[in-house]
Amino acid sequence: MDGSNKQIRLARRPVGTPTLEDFSFTEAPIGTPGEGEVLIRNVYISVDPYLRGRMEDVKSYIPPFQLNDVIISGVIGQVVESKSAHFAKGDIVIGMLGWEEYSVAHEKTLRKLDPALAPVTANLGIIGMTGLTAYFGLLDIGQPKEGETVVVSGAAGAVGSTVGQIAKIKGARVVGIAGSEEKCSYLINELGFDAAINYKTEEVGKVLEKACPDGIDVYFDNVGGEISDAVFPLLNKFARIPVCGAISAYNKTEADIGSRVQTYLIKTSAFMKGFTVGDYSSRFKEGGAQLAAWLNEGKLKYEETIKEGFDSIIEAFLDLFKGKNLGKQLVKISEFE
Amino acid sequence: MDGSNKQIRLARRPVGTPTLEDFSFTEAPIGTPGEGEVLIRNVYISVDPYLRGRMEDVKSYIPPFQLNDVIISGVIGQVVESKSAHFAKGDIVIGMLGWEEYSVAHEKTLRKLDPALAPVTANLGIIGMTGLTAYFGLLDIGQPKEGETVVVSGAAGAVGSTVGQIAKIKGARVVGIAGSEEKCSYLINELGFDAAINYKTEEVGKVLEKACPDGIDVYFDNVGGEISDAVFPLLNKFARIPVCGAISAYNKTEADIGSRVQTYLIKTSAFMKGFTVGDYSSRFKEGGAQLAAWLNEGKLKYEETIKEGFDSIIEAFLDLFKGKNLGKQLVKISEFE
């Protein structure tokens, strides 16, 4: 296909909070699919906090981006040219693709979406990676039981809001920690959380103690930092802590210093486990089916914050660290035909 | 029985490192056993770091000592008078008894020891609470596999030295962290550790990286603090961290501030669990039998540091926080007859 393909590349490794200057906007010819490949016009780009980690040159659960690489994340697009027997022109597909207008991808790296089953963007959120992250972290590590108290930080984000709802489905008392009054009232009034704490205006430890009169059995940690420091003294015996994210630390240039957790863990025999959704890849089918069922039964709700236009991808990514998003942050860069 | 009974009571709650003045030496008449009870002349008193926690007035896994209570710990003694069908005069017994010359105890709180099976003091150490602590923490939480690297802090203490030996039995590479050259050479030359690091003279993080060329799969944490801070960056994917003790923090009067662990746990999907040996009380028989078998097969060795005399109990306890003990710290306050 003729024409040019706008792309966003990692120009340099961010130091602290990423800025526009850490990225370069380049143009390249639109690619041509080889045998078994398709050409995709990208429509929805997912921006996620974990991508900050991939911009560092350190060992982690996924290899870092190389300098001048096109940034890769979850993307939904539409097939415009196919050399694959599995995909036809017009098919809507999802995969890990570039921050670019057009991607060429091998058929094995793509999955076809059926818009009749669920809104397609849900596949980047509540029934996709963020939903699965919530599902496995909460149920496999957190294991909430009926009547227990579950606290979730980053509660109005894509993962946190799903965690709280699944905890409610399991019969737990759910307390969310989020960064604005609007988010807190969303959690309580729309998602059915039992309480919500605005960490920007309230003293988390104090308010949390009141909101959790029976202590805390599960703490789903999306943020780390001072918010998590305030949670540890309130843990119950045999508490479980899925450690999903530490967004408070991702942009730190100095060491992440705060409360050491050892004494709290010993006093309560509590259990803390880091994880990434990839640890559960063999169970994605199970998780996706359950999330889709809950969604269709009306037991799960979700919000999306969608920016428009290719040029707003970086801004959407940077907004994550300012806590601007309610639910899943996406960027729409073209239309389905 | 006539005569007087020296006792040690908690005079006030220690602030920071305990001192002699936090305890009072009192005398009381020797007690008289009622129905189902025995009078015991205490012989070996166990002093343990966890007792520091019981001197604080805070919620923990065991209730705190009350002011003016006689301090309670593991004790081995000899029955001098019995009103129990299960115990006879002369029997050697173990129980949670007072820091006192004579105790009266109910038959249900005591266990009879057979000196033919193992040296009696081993029941306060390697086949008793500290051995069981090592056994369950390492095997249930740490789950070392053949060829993996296990790091243990407080490695020359009663728990740490057993952890390292069990890890060797399981085929792991074992690196100990301890506080003197003498302890380090004991770990390598007597117990068969693969490497040992003297945290008082060496830079733990740097030396540990060399001593663990394949990273760290299990970190058995007895100490917390800066030593543990240095371990986290070296964890492998899916590392396990039994959190057994945090002796570095027990005497702190300010908050325990250091490296936050969240980012390390996320990067490696590592797993950290606090525990206390009581969590495994339903499996003590299994653990005790296995430890005794290994001991009799010559696969486990142990050291004891034994002070003599009732008046040295406090000093022996305080020595724990100076790292003076090699292996299990005991105080011998009388003789078996």
Side-chain angles (χ1 to χ4, degrees), chain A residues 91-104:
Chain A
D91 280 355
I92 297 175
V93 294
I94 187 168
M96 296 298 291
L97 301 175
W99 287 5
E100 57 191 355
E101 293 178 299
Y102 292 88
S103 296
V104 170

Side-chain angles (χ1 to χ4, degrees), chain A residues 60-61 221 225 228-229 237 243 245 252 256-258 260 262 265-267 269-275 279, chain B residues 60 221 225 228-229 237 243 245 252 256-258 260-262 265-267 269-275 279:
Chain A
S60 186
Y61 55 89
D221 192 358
S228 297
D229 291 353
K237 183 86 182 168
V243 186
K252 281 200 173 171
D256 185 25
I257 299 297
R260 288 202 184 94
Q262 282 90 343
L265 297 184
I266 296 167
K267 280 185 183 167
S269 295
F271 153 54
M272 193 171 179
K273 187 178 181 322
F275 76 103
D279 300 346
Chain B
S60 186
D221 192 359
S228 297
D229 290 353
K237 183 83 183 169
V243 187
K252 280 198 174 173
D256 185 25
I257 299 297
R260 289 202 184 96
V261 299
Q262 282 89 342
L265 298 184
I266 296 168
K267 279 184 184 168
S269 295
F271 151 51
M272 195 171 177
K273 187 181 183 318
F275 75 103
D279 299 345

Side-chain angles (χ1 to χ4, degrees), chain B residues 154-170:
Chain B
V159 173
S161 58
T162 313
V163 166
Q165 292 179 86
I166 298 175
K168 287 304 296 179
I169 291 171
K170 295 294 176 183

Side-chain angles (χ1 to χ4, degrees), chain B residues 296-328:
Chain B
N296 290 328
E297 292 163 18
K299 290 184 179 165
L300 284 183
K301 297 178 184 177
Y302 65 100
E303 287 289 325
E304 292 167 336
T305 300
I306 303 182
K307 278 198 180 283
E308 301 270 342
F310 189 86
D311 291 343
S312 58
I313 292 175
I314 305 297
E315 195 186 336
F317 175 63
L318 300 183
D319 277 356
L320 295 171
F321 301 101
K322 298 174 193 150
K324 286 204 176 177
N325 56 306
L326 185 65
K328 184 76 193 88

Side-chain angles (χ1 to χ4, degrees), chain B residues 207-247:
Chain B
V207 184
L208 201 53
E209 196 170 357
K210 277 189 195 163
C212 304
D214 299 326
I216 298 171
D217 301 293
V218 178
Y219 172 49
F220 193 104
D221 192 359
N222 282 309
V223 302
E226 288 178 15
I227 292 174
S228 297
D229 290 353
V231 172
F232 282 94
L234 301 173
L235 295 178
N236 285 339
K237 183 83 183 169
F238 299 124
R240 289 83 65 195
I241 306 172
V243 187
C244 177
I247 197 168

Side-chain angles (χ1 to χ4, degrees), chain A residues 106-123:
Chain A
H106 193 272
E107 58 189 12
K108 286 192 176 161
T109 66
L110 299 170
R111 190 162 54 88
K112 191 171 158 178
L113 298 181
D114 181 352
L117 289 180
V120 292
T121 54
N123 293 284

